[in-house]
Every structure is written in structure tokens, then in C-alpha cells.
Amino acid sequence: MTGFPILRLYRPSLAAIALCTSGLGYAQDTLPARPDGTAPDARTIKAGMGLTEEITVTGWRLRQLDTPVPTASRLNLSIRDTPATLDRIGADEILTRGFRTVEEATDSLPGIISGGAPGDPSLFSMRGFTGEQVMILHNGLYLGPANMINRPGNTFNIASIDVLKGPASVLYGQGAIGGVVNIVNKHPDFDGNTRQALASYGSFDTVSLGLGGNMVLSDTLAGRADVSYHRTDGYVDDAGSNSFNATGALLFQPASDLSVELSVDYLRDNLSTYYGTPLVSADFAADSIEGILSGADGRVIDRRMRFTNYNVNDDKAHSWQIWPRLVVNWSPSDAVTLSNTAYYFHAERQWINAENYVFNSDTNLIDRDRFFVFHNQDLVGDQGSATFRHTLFGLSNQLVVGFDYNHLDFVRSRGFPDGDSVDPLNPVRGSFGPIQKRVSPTRWDQIALFAEDSLDLTSRLKLVTGLRAERLYLTRENYGPDGAFQPAISFRRTYKPFNWRAGLVYDVAPHVTAYASYSTGKDPVGSNIFLVNAGQNFGLSSSRQFEAGIKADLLDGRGSLTAAVYDIRRSDILTQVAIDTLNNVGKQTSRGFELSGELKVSRNWAVTGSGTYVDAEYQDFIDPNYGIAASGNRPPNVPAWTGNVWTSVQHIGGLPLEAGGGVKYVGKRYGNTANDLVLKPYATGILYATYSLTPRLSLTARVNNVWGKTFVQWADIYYPAQVMLGEPRRAEASILARF
């Protein structure tokens, strides 16, 4: 362990306790991490030290480089020993910064921006790739394409969000090119009884509530339950949202070598139905918002339309889902561990909206479409593995081999009724109109065999390898509006992806590690696996990444530094080669560097920061959606530069007061493949202050987007006449109780 514990017996603020157990600036070096890689809480530290008073452990190591993080490997490797870039934000850090959704929390990590659109909830951009090329996992399991399956999610119920950068198909199969976002739920443990309650209220009539805790029921049985509710009227007229999430689990551990965990996750939500603000001609705009975008056609955002809702009155973006899991871990000997996860996932989703808002210069009206889509999804799966710890040719070695099987039934019903036109300044919302479905059932059976190995070539040099071979049997049926089967556009297809990675990890010095790796990835040509059609009779797109980096503890544990350079090439992507012909000859490249670090400036002052640069472009590519020649262009929503800085100061003036804040910078991006819609750079800030009313009760005031900056958060290429504007200044107050 590289940090140095300094124990102070006093009554700290609850925020200080939260921060000492989070990734924000103070972490534990006195006790080992839990098996899932999460840090022990303050109660655990107190018990482990044999103390009865509240304490703060200021042994400081934000990144916890020696903590195992299963998202990056099934070998239980630490962050330091993993030949890849891994970022993590924990529950207490999320709480301190006031992130209420998974999207907000993930967006705060190095080199990541998000979309915020209800049609693609929790849509991310990282390392030059967006949308379906960034995989979303839940507790390490893939439930389907991110842009169709994922929901924004409440953060109160989760333990951490882990982000693995670059291709990860060797671990999780098709679809992970830019990276993986893994959302990890809180789970039971035997550390003691803990409870937490949260209530907050803020601008736009925003309310967040949370109640949960852990209970040790016996020497062999522990349970946990967390319930959260979040709602807001939203910053666009009549475009509010709400979400209810309940998670619970029982952990049975009859022996130290056997554990059985049964959990369930239930979510019901209604997303905001704000799909963007229309671009209008400069002649029409009486008060254009300067400095947020520029386009070749001179269109602008009119301030008068900033908060106007152009959706219909009976709009809907609703879902509910339930997900039980059974996880069994057994170690019959010190050399062998067997693991199995069986799960079932059911979800129903509905979108009924006017989504495209096109300003018509001839009429000075907004032309609206209509689009509806329903999902009914059932996924059942089982994942098993065996881990062996042994010697190979006299060298220490870890090997994991396993299988991954799942069966999907997914029914997608959609339609495109006639649209209408409305006044840009005083739109008559109207109603959606009649619904006539076109149904497209999708079935797949996926079976994969995987293996990973970690071999200690010397005491300082480690070779980490992995491979995954799978078969995906896909069946797509299409039915017309009259319910008649359409055999011409229905099909069956078999995909046979094979991926591998290899990396070397070298301890340059006791607390400095360098690594280099090569990895491959696969994903569907042109779209996600749920939308591939009969005409796209191609194999999978192929990707490869070279990456090298360094991870180091600095200044006797008072700081840490991570840096990486990478080069990604994605080949065989769908491109238009003639007026009516598509082919898979396109390419996309991305290369860049990432740098992040932390420093404990003084006993009570911590600073963290990061900066990333990416040079991404298309090659041999004509956009198949619009026929735009885009070779040499940057992919949409990919900033060249991003940066974050965060600081916190505790015990201000000797009081139980903590204050801090952060700034996020996002550089210039493009809003389309033609690169003629420029989204200007922006920076937003957060300020907060937390006062400890009692050792277990704290009050926090927080302001997001403190400068009230108007900025373009995202531009969806499928809605080319509008952009998503970011949230204005938001103030909130919250109260947190731990008991």
C-alpha cells in the first residue's frame, strides 16, 4: 500500500467521511478493498481499527491503483496491473458532487461527454467514438445496444461507475469500441448495519429522495435494500421527468469459500421529452444566442425559443424493467475459484413523440414529424467461469476460462404517422394521432467461450492476455402495417466474432508502472444489432487499438498520475458507394492522449484534474444516411480537447465546513458528418458547501452551471435541424443522514 494513514480522533463532517471513502481525495490504506473492488466505508474502518469514535483517515490515494476492478478483467487484477485505462467514480464522490443520474456522473470522468436526448438515454462519446460504439453494462452484464436499452438511472442505488477505455470485445462481445461504462449496484456485506437517507430540492422543482442500507441478519446472512425517487419539471416547458428505482439483495455466506447472492433491480421512469431546439434562419431570429454554434447555412438559435417545447401534448418516453440475478462463488481450494451468474431481464419501453423540428424558411413554421416505437424485451442468460492460480514453467500464473450464453426475444413495433406544422413562438402542441404498428421481432442465441491469463514473467514484468470466440445466431422478422409477414426483408444471419488482447505491465519503480497493449473489437456494420437489416448482408466491423501508458503514485502517496496514448482503427464500416449502393469499405481512426492526476496540497486541501486530446477522422467514407462525402472529417460530437479540474477544502476556519467546486471544459465539436455545423467550446462550473449539523447529519448547498452558460450539449445526426442545449444554472439544497 502506498498511502500513509494519519488518524485523527475528532468529530468530522459527514461530507468528510464521505470523501474519505470516495475517489474524491481521501481513501483507505488501513484495510483491504472488498472483493468487488469497492472501498470499505468509515464504519468498517472504525471497526477494523478497534475504535469507537468517528475518525477520518487521511492516508490519501484517489485512484487506489492497487484496488481490483472486475470491469477491466476477470482475473481480479488491480488498476495498476491492468494494461488499459480505467476510470472510476464511487458512490460518495457522486453524492458529494450532486450527480443524480448515471449520465451526469459518467460525464464528469476524463474525456467523456454525453448526449442527454430521450431517444438515446445515456449516450456517450469517448476516444473518438459515440453511440453504439460505447457499450453500457450493468454489473458486468450486457443487456443490449446502449442507445436502445440503457436508461439515465438514479445514482443513489449504485456503488460505482467504472469506465474501461478502448475496445473491450474480448471481455464483453460485440459493440465495445470506444469503451465500456459499467454501472455497479450496491450490494450486501458483513461490515455492519448501515443506513442512509437523502433528500434534496432544487431549481425547476427538482426533488431527489433516497433511503437505503445494509443489515447483517446473522453470521451467514446479510441483506441490502435501496430505494430512490427523482423528479423534475425540467428546464424546457412541460418536459419534466421522473424515475423510481428499487434494488435489493440477500447475501448468504455459509463458509469463507462459498457465497450466494440473490438480487433484484426494478426501475420505472418517464424521461424528459425535450428532443432539441430548432435552428432558424438569421432573418427570422430576433434575438440569436451568440457564441454557441455556427453553420454554413447561417442558421442560429433564437433566444425566444430557448425553453419552448415543440413536442405534442400526449408525448411519452416511458419504461419499466425488472432484473433478478443469482451469483454463486465457490473456492474449493486456494488454487481454484468457480463463479456463475444466472439472470433474467424484462423491459417494456414506449416512445410516442414528435421528434424532428425543422424550420421552414418559406412558411416561417416548424415542420414536425411523428414517430413511435415500442419495445418488449426478454433476455435470459448464464455466465460461468473457473479461475486457476498456479505456476507455469516455474512462473506465477492466473488463468480464467469460461462461457457466456444468453437468449433474447425482442419485439420492436414502430410507425411514422403524418406530421404537421406549428408556430415557432407559440406552437399549438396538439396530439400525436392514430397509431398503426409495424412489428419486427428479433431473436438471438449467443454463446461465447473466453479465457484470460496473467503470467508473471519476472517479479516486475507481467504478461496479460485474453481471447473470446463466439457465435451469434440472429433472426429478424418483419411484418407490415396490416400484420402480413414480409419475407423479403426478414432474414437469418450468423456472426462469428473472434477477439483477443495482449499487454505487458512493467514496474519501472516501486510505485511507477508502465504498460503497453494491443486489443481488438467487433461491432455490427452500420448500426446496432437490433437495427441491422436484410440489405446489410455484411460481417462485423473490425477494430484494433494500440495503447501505452503509465500509472504512478507520487510524493509518498500524496498524489497520483496516470497517462496514456492510443491509436484506434475501425474498418469495414458502412458507406455509400453509389446512389443506391452501400458497402462496408469505410474506416474511422482515432488517436490521442489522456492525462489525469491528483494532489493532496495540504492536510485539508485536495485537487484533481485531467486533460484529453483526440484526433479522430473518417477515411473512405460517404455518410450512408445523407450521402455526404466525409473522408477526412471529424465524427460528430467528438471534441478534440476536454478537461476537468476539481478541488475541495475541509475544516474551513476550524468549523465542520467543507467547500469545493469544479470546472469542465469541452472543446469544439461538429454537429454533423459534413462538419459544417460547428458547436463552440464551453466550460461549466459547480460550487458546493457542506456543513455538518451533527456527526451524522449534514446540509449541502450546491450550484451547477454556476456562470449560467448557454451551450450546445449534443447534436444528433438523425435530428439535423435541431440541437440539444445544456441545462441552465441550477441551485439545490440537500440533507444527508447516516445512521
Side-chain angles (χ1 to χ4, degrees), residues 88-153:
R88 161 178 281 193
I89 184 168
D92 289 313
E93 185 178 358
I94 291 170
L95 185 65
T96 299
R97 300 192 185 187
F99 300 135
R100 297 294 176 245
T101 67
V102 170
E103 179 184 358
E104 287 181 354
T106 307
D107 192 50
S108 72
L109 294 172
I112 301 174
I113 67 170
S114 63
D120 292 316
S122 296
L123 183 68
F124 299 109
S125 170
M126 68 178 75
R127 286 202 171 177
F129 295 88
T130 62
E132 307 82 58
Q133 281 78 56
V134 178
M135 177 181 281
I136 308 295
L137 304 174
H138 293 262
N139 299 301
L141 296 174
Y142 176 66
L143 303 177
N147 65 330
M148 297 181 72
I149 301 305
N150 200 54
R151 313 300 287 184

Coordinates of all heavy atoms in Angstrom, one line a residue, residues 88-153:
R88 N -12.9 5.5 -12.5 CA -14.0 5.0 -11.6 C -14.4 6.2 -10.8 O -13.6 7.1 -10.4 CB -13.5 3.9 -10.7 CG -14.4 3.8 -9.4 CD -13.9 2.6 -8.5 NE -14.3 1.4 -9.1 CZ -14.3 0.2 -8.4 NH1 -13.8 0.2 -7.2 NH2 -14.7 -0.9 -8.9
I89 N -15.7 6.3 -10.6 CA -16.3 7.3 -9.7 C -17.2 6.5 -8.7 O -18.0 5.7 -9.1 CB -17.1 8.4 -10.4 CG1 -17.6 9.5 -9.4 CG2 -18.2 7.9 -11.3 CD1 -18.1 10.7 -10.1
G90 N -17.0 6.7 -7.4 CA -17.7 6.0 -6.4 C -18.9 6.7 -5.9 O -19.2 7.8 -6.2
A91 N -19.7 5.9 -5.1 CA -21.0 6.4 -4.6 C -20.8 7.7 -3.8 O -21.6 8.7 -4.0 CB -21.7 5.4 -3.8
D92 N -19.8 7.8 -2.9 CA -19.7 9.0 -2.1 C -19.3 10.2 -2.9 O -19.7 11.4 -2.6 CB -18.7 8.7 -0.9 CG -19.3 7.8 0.1 OD1 -20.5 8.0 0.5 OD2 -18.7 6.8 0.5
E93 N -18.4 10.0 -3.9 CA -18.0 11.1 -4.7 C -19.2 11.6 -5.6 O -19.4 12.8 -5.8 CB -16.9 10.7 -5.7 CG -16.3 11.8 -6.5 CD -15.1 11.3 -7.4 OE1 -14.8 10.1 -7.3 OE2 -14.6 12.1 -8.2
I94 N -20.0 10.7 -6.1 CA -21.2 11.0 -6.8 C -22.1 11.9 -5.9 O -22.7 12.9 -6.3 CB -21.9 9.8 -7.3 CG1 -21.1 9.1 -8.4 CG2 -23.3 10.1 -7.8 CD1 -21.6 7.7 -8.8
L95 N -22.3 11.5 -4.6 CA -23.1 12.2 -3.7 C -22.6 13.6 -3.4 O -23.3 14.6 -3.4 CB -23.2 11.4 -2.4 CG -24.2 11.9 -1.4 CD1 -25.6 11.8 -1.9 CD2 -24.0 11.1 -0.1
T96 N -21.3 13.7 -3.2 CA -20.7 15.0 -2.9 C -20.9 16.0 -4.1 O -21.1 17.1 -3.9 CB -19.2 14.8 -2.6 OG1 -19.0 13.9 -1.5 CG2 -18.5 16.1 -2.3
R97 N -20.7 15.5 -5.3 CA -20.8 16.4 -6.4 C -22.2 16.6 -6.9 O -22.5 17.4 -7.8 CB -19.9 15.8 -7.6 CG -18.5 15.7 -7.2 CD -17.6 15.4 -8.4 NE -16.2 15.2 -8.1 CZ -15.2 15.1 -9.0 NH1 -15.5 15.1 -10.2 NH2 -14.0 14.8 -8.6
G98 N -23.2 15.9 -6.3 CA -24.6 16.1 -6.6 C -25.0 15.6 -7.9 O -26.0 16.1 -8.5
F99 N -24.4 14.5 -8.4 CA -24.8 13.9 -9.6 C -26.0 13.0 -9.3 O -25.9 12.0 -8.6 CB -23.7 13.1 -10.3 CG -22.5 13.9 -10.6 CD1 -21.2 13.4 -10.3 CD2 -22.6 15.1 -11.2 CE1 -20.1 14.2 -10.6 CE2 -21.5 15.9 -11.5 CZ -20.2 15.4 -11.2
R100 N -27.2 13.2 -9.9 CA -28.4 12.5 -9.7 C -28.6 11.4 -10.7 O -29.4 10.5 -10.4 CB -29.6 13.4 -9.6 CG -29.5 14.5 -8.5 CD -29.6 13.8 -7.1 NE -29.4 14.8 -6.1 CZ -28.4 14.8 -5.2 NH1 -27.4 13.9 -5.3 NH2 -28.3 15.7 -4.3
T101 N -28.0 11.4 -11.8 CA -28.2 10.4 -12.8 C -26.8 9.8 -13.2 O -25.8 10.4 -13.1 CB -28.9 10.9 -14.1 OG1 -28.0 11.8 -14.8 CG2 -30.2 11.6 -13.8
V102 N -26.9 8.6 -13.7 CA -25.7 7.9 -14.2 C -25.0 8.7 -15.3 O -23.8 8.8 -15.4 CB -26.0 6.5 -14.7 CG1 -24.8 5.9 -15.4 CG2 -26.4 5.6 -13.5
E103 N -25.8 9.4 -16.2 CA -25.3 10.2 -17.2 C -24.4 11.3 -16.7 O -23.3 11.6 -17.2 CB -26.4 10.7 -18.1 CG -25.9 11.5 -19.3 CD -27.0 12.1 -20.1 OE1 -28.2 11.8 -19.8 OE2 -26.7 12.9 -21.0
E104 N -25.0 12.0 -15.7 CA -24.2 13.2 -15.1 C -22.9 12.7 -14.5 O -21.9 13.4 -14.7 CB -25.1 13.8 -14.1 CG -26.3 14.7 -14.6 CD -27.0 15.3 -13.4 OE1 -26.7 15.0 -12.2 OE2 -27.9 16.1 -13.7
A105 N -23.0 11.6 -13.8 CA -21.8 11.1 -13.1 C -20.7 10.7 -14.1 O -19.5 11.0 -13.9 CB -22.1 10.0 -12.1
T106 N -21.1 9.9 -15.1 CA -20.1 9.4 -16.1 C -19.5 10.6 -16.9 O -18.4 10.6 -17.2 CB -20.8 8.4 -17.0 OG1 -21.5 7.4 -16.3 CG2 -19.8 7.8 -18.0
D107 N -20.3 11.6 -17.2 CA -19.9 12.7 -17.9 C -18.8 13.5 -17.2 O -18.1 14.3 -17.9 CB -21.1 13.7 -18.2 CG -20.9 14.7 -19.2 OD1 -20.4 14.4 -20.3 OD2 -21.2 15.9 -18.9
S108 N -18.7 13.3 -15.9 CA -17.6 14.0 -15.2 C -16.2 13.4 -15.3 O -15.3 14.0 -14.8 CB -18.0 14.1 -13.7 OG -17.9 12.8 -13.1
L109 N -16.2 12.2 -15.8 CA -14.9 11.5 -15.9 C -14.1 12.0 -17.1 O -14.6 12.5 -18.0 CB -15.1 10.0 -16.0 CG -15.8 9.4 -14.7 CD1 -16.2 7.9 -15.0 CD2 -14.9 9.5 -13.5
P110 N -12.7 11.7 -17.1 CA -11.9 12.3 -18.1 C -12.3 11.8 -19.5 O -12.5 10.7 -19.8 CB -10.5 11.7 -17.8 CG -10.6 11.4 -16.3 CD -12.0 11.0 -16.0
G111 N -12.4 12.8 -20.4 CA -12.5 12.6 -21.9 C -13.9 12.1 -22.3 O -14.0 11.5 -23.4
I112 N -14.9 12.3 -21.5 CA -16.2 11.8 -21.8 C -17.2 12.9 -21.8 O -17.2 13.8 -21.0 CB -16.7 10.7 -20.7 CG1 -15.7 9.6 -20.6 CG2 -18.1 10.2 -21.0 CD1 -16.0 8.6 -19.5
I113 N -18.1 12.9 -22.9 CA -19.2 13.8 -22.9 C -20.4 13.0 -23.2 O -20.4 11.9 -23.6 CB -19.1 15.0 -24.0 CG1 -19.1 14.4 -25.4 CG2 -17.8 15.8 -23.7 CD1 -19.1 15.5 -26.4
S114 N -21.6 13.6 -22.9 CA -22.9 12.8 -23.1 C -23.9 13.6 -23.9 O -23.8 14.8 -24.1 CB -23.4 12.5 -21.7 OG -23.8 13.6 -21.0
G115 N -24.9 12.9 -24.3 CA -25.9 13.5 -25.2 C -27.1 14.0 -24.6 O -27.6 15.1 -24.9
G116 N -27.7 13.3 -23.6 CA -28.9 13.8 -22.9 C -30.2 13.8 -23.6 O -31.2 14.3 -23.2
A117 N -30.3 13.1 -24.8 CA -31.5 13.1 -25.6 C -32.4 11.9 -25.1 O -31.9 10.8 -24.9 CB -31.2 12.9 -27.1
P118 N -33.7 12.1 -25.0 CA -34.6 11.0 -24.6 C -34.6 9.8 -25.6 O -34.9 8.7 -25.2 CB -35.9 11.6 -24.5 CG -35.9 12.8 -25.4 CD -34.5 13.3 -25.3
G119 N -34.3 10.0 -26.9 CA -34.3 8.9 -27.8 C -33.1 8.0 -27.6 O -33.1 6.9 -28.0
D120 N -32.0 8.6 -27.1 CA -30.8 7.8 -26.8 C -30.3 8.1 -25.4 O -29.3 8.8 -25.1 CB -29.7 8.2 -27.8 CG -30.0 7.8 -29.2 OD1 -30.4 6.6 -29.4 OD2 -29.7 8.6 -30.1
P121 N -31.0 7.6 -24.4 CA -30.7 7.9 -23.0 C -29.3 7.4 -22.7 O -28.8 6.3 -23.0 CB -31.7 7.1 -22.2 CG -32.8 6.8 -23.1 CD -32.2 6.7 -24.5
S122 N -28.5 8.3 -22.0 CA -27.1 8.0 -21.6 C -26.3 7.6 -22.8 O -25.7 6.6 -22.8 CB -27.1 6.8 -20.5 OG -27.8 7.2 -19.3
L123 N -26.3 8.5 -23.7 CA -25.4 8.4 -24.9 C -24.1 9.1 -24.7 O -24.1 10.3 -24.3 CB -26.2 9.0 -26.1 CG -25.5 8.9 -27.5 CD1 -25.5 7.5 -28.0 CD2 -26.3 9.8 -28.5
F124 N -23.0 8.4 -24.9 CA -21.7 8.9 -24.5 C -20.8 9.0 -25.8 O -20.9 8.3 -26.8 CB -21.0 8.0 -23.5 CG -21.8 8.0 -22.2 CD1 -22.4 6.8 -21.8 CD2 -21.8 9.1 -21.4 CE1 -23.1 6.7 -20.6 CE2 -22.6 9.0 -20.2 CZ -23.2 7.9 -19.8
S125 N -19.8 9.9 -25.6 CA -18.7 10.0 -26.6 C -17.4 9.9 -25.9 O -17.2 10.6 -24.9 CB -18.8 11.3 -27.3 OG -17.6 11.6 -28.1
M126 N -16.5 9.0 -26.3 CA -15.2 8.9 -25.7 C -14.2 8.3 -26.8 O -14.6 7.5 -27.6 CB -15.2 8.0 -24.5 CG -15.5 6.5 -24.7 SD -15.4 5.6 -23.2 CE -16.9 6.0 -22.4
R127 N -13.0 8.7 -26.7 CA -11.9 8.3 -27.6 C -12.3 8.3 -29.1 O -11.9 7.5 -29.9 CB -11.4 6.9 -27.2 CG -10.6 6.9 -26.0 CD -9.7 5.7 -25.8 NE -8.8 5.9 -24.7 CZ -7.9 5.0 -24.3 NH1 -7.8 3.8 -24.9 NH2 -7.1 5.3 -23.2
G128 N -13.1 9.3 -29.5 CA -13.5 9.5 -30.9 C -14.6 8.7 -31.4 O -15.0 8.7 -32.5
F129 N -15.3 8.0 -30.5 CA -16.5 7.1 -30.9 C -17.7 7.5 -30.0 O -17.5 7.9 -28.9 CB -16.1 5.7 -30.7 CG -15.0 5.2 -31.6 CD1 -13.7 5.3 -31.3 CD2 -15.3 4.7 -32.9 CE1 -12.7 4.9 -32.1 CE2 -14.3 4.3 -33.8 CZ -13.0 4.4 -33.4
T130 N -18.9 7.3 -30.6 CA -20.1 7.6 -29.9 C -21.1 6.5 -30.1 O -20.9 5.6 -30.8 CB -20.7 8.9 -30.5 OG1 -21.0 8.8 -31.9 CG2 -19.7 10.1 -30.3
G131 N -22.3 6.7 -29.4 CA -23.4 5.9 -29.6 C -23.2 4.4 -29.4 O -22.7 4.0 -28.3
E132 N -23.5 3.6 -30.4 CA -23.4 2.1 -30.2 C -22.0 1.6 -30.0 O -21.8 0.5 -29.6 CB -24.0 1.4 -31.4 CG -25.4 1.8 -31.8 CD -25.4 3.1 -32.6 OE1 -24.7 3.1 -33.7 OE2 -26.0 4.1 -32.2
Q133 N -21.0 2.5 -30.3 CA -19.6 2.0 -30.1 C -19.1 2.2 -28.7 O -17.9 1.9 -28.4 CB -18.6 2.8 -31.1 CG -18.7 2.2 -32.5 CD -19.9 2.7 -33.3 OE1 -20.1 3.9 -33.4 NE2 -20.7 1.7 -33.8
V134 N -20.0 2.7 -27.8 CA -19.7 2.8 -26.4 C -20.7 1.9 -25.7 O -21.9 2.1 -25.7 CB -19.7 4.2 -25.8 CG1 -19.5 4.2 -24.3 CG2 -18.7 5.1 -26.6
M135 N -20.2 0.8 -25.1 CA -21.1 -0.2 -24.5 C -21.4 0.2 -23.1 O -20.6 0.6 -22.3 CB -20.4 -1.6 -24.5 CG -21.2 -2.7 -23.9 SD -20.3 -4.3 -23.9 CE -20.6 -4.8 -25.6
I136 N -22.7 -0.1 -22.7 CA -23.2 0.1 -21.3 C -23.4 -1.3 -20.7 O -24.1 -2.1 -21.3 CB -24.5 0.9 -21.3 CG1 -24.3 2.2 -22.1 CG2 -24.9 1.2 -19.9 CD1 -23.3 3.2 -21.5
L137 N -22.8 -1.5 -19.6 CA -23.0 -2.7 -18.8 C -23.7 -2.4 -17.5 O -23.6 -1.3 -17.0 CB -21.7 -3.4 -18.5 CG -20.8 -3.7 -19.7 CD1 -19.4 -4.3 -19.2 CD2 -21.4 -4.8 -20.6
H138 N -24.4 -3.4 -17.0 CA -24.9 -3.3 -15.6 C -24.4 -4.5 -14.8 O -24.7 -5.7 -15.2 CB -26.5 -3.4 -15.7 CG -27.0 -2.1 -16.3 ND1 -27.5 -1.1 -15.6 CD2 -27.2 -1.8 -17.6 CE1 -28.0 -0.1 -16.5 NE2 -27.8 -0.6 -17.7
N139 N -23.6 -4.2 -13.8 CA -23.0 -5.3 -13.0 C -22.2 -6.3 -13.9 O -22.2 -7.5 -13.7 CB -24.0 -6.0 -12.2 CG -24.7 -5.1 -11.2 OD1 -24.1 -4.5 -10.4 ND2 -26.0 -5.0 -11.3
G140 N -21.5 -5.7 -14.9 CA -20.7 -6.5 -15.8 C -21.4 -7.3 -16.9 O -20.8 -8.1 -17.6
L141 N -22.8 -7.1 -17.0 CA -23.5 -7.9 -18.0 C -24.1 -7.0 -19.1 O -24.5 -5.8 -18.8 CB -24.7 -8.6 -17.3 CG -24.3 -9.6 -16.2 CD1 -25.6 -10.1 -15.5 CD2 -23.6 -10.8 -16.9
Y142 N -24.0 -7.5 -20.3 CA -24.5 -6.8 -21.5 C -26.0 -7.1 -21.7 O -26.4 -8.3 -21.9 CB -23.7 -7.2 -22.7 CG -24.1 -6.6 -24.0 CD1 -24.1 -5.2 -24.2 CD2 -24.6 -7.4 -25.0 CE1 -24.4 -4.7 -25.5 CE2 -25.0 -6.9 -26.2 CZ -24.9 -5.5 -26.5 OH -25.3 -5.0 -27.7
L143 N -26.8 -6.1 -21.7 CA -28.3 -6.3 -21.9 C -28.8 -5.9 -23.2 O -30.0 -6.1 -23.5 CB -29.0 -5.5 -20.8 CG -28.6 -5.8 -19.3 CD1 -29.4 -4.9 -18.4 CD2 -28.9 -7.3 -19.0
G144 N -27.9 -5.3 -24.1 CA -28.4 -4.9 -25.4 C -27.7 -3.6 -25.8 O -27.0 -3.0 -25.0
P145 N -27.9 -3.1 -27.1 CA -27.3 -1.9 -27.5 C -27.6 -0.7 -26.6 O -28.7 -0.5 -26.3 CB -27.8 -1.7 -28.9 CG -28.3 -3.1 -29.4 CD -28.7 -3.8 -28.1
A146 N -26.5 0.1 -26.3 CA -26.7 1.1 -25.3 C -27.7 2.2 -25.7 O -28.5 2.6 -24.9 CB -25.3 1.8 -25.1
N147 N -27.8 2.5 -27.0 CA -28.6 3.6 -27.4 C -30.1 3.2 -27.4 O -31.0 4.1 -27.6 CB -28.2 4.2 -28.8 CG -28.4 3.2 -29.9 OD1 -28.3 2.0 -29.6 ND2 -28.6 3.6 -31.1
M148 N -30.4 1.9 -27.2 CA -31.8 1.5 -27.2 C -32.2 0.9 -25.8 O -33.4 0.9 -25.5 CB -32.1 0.4 -28.3 CG -31.9 1.0 -29.7 SD -32.2 -0.3 -30.9 CE -34.0 -0.4 -30.8
I149 N -31.2 0.4 -25.0 CA -31.6 -0.3 -23.8 C -31.4 0.5 -22.6 O -32.2 0.4 -21.6 CB -30.7 -1.6 -23.7 CG1 -30.9 -2.5 -24.9 CG2 -30.9 -2.4 -22.4 CD1 -32.3 -2.9 -25.2
N150 N -30.3 1.3 -22.5 CA -30.0 2.0 -21.3 C -30.9 3.1 -20.9 O -31.5 3.7 -21.8 CB -28.5 2.5 -21.4 CG -27.9 2.8 -20.0 OD1 -27.9 1.9 -19.2 ND2 -27.5 4.0 -19.8
R151 N -31.0 3.4 -19.6 CA -31.8 4.5 -19.1 C -30.9 5.4 -18.3 O -29.8 4.9 -17.8 CB -32.9 3.9 -18.2 CG -33.7 2.8 -18.8 CD -34.4 3.2 -20.1 NE -35.5 4.1 -19.9 CZ -36.3 4.5 -20.9 NH1 -36.1 4.1 -22.1 NH2 -37.4 5.3 -20.6
P152 N -31.3 6.6 -18.0 CA -30.4 7.5 -17.3 C -30.0 7.0 -15.9 O -28.9 7.1 -15.4 CB -31.2 8.8 -17.2 CG -32.1 8.8 -18.4 CD -32.4 7.3 -18.6
G153 N -31.0 6.4 -15.2 CA -30.8 5.7 -13.9 C -30.5 6.7 -12.8 O -29.9 7.7 -12.9

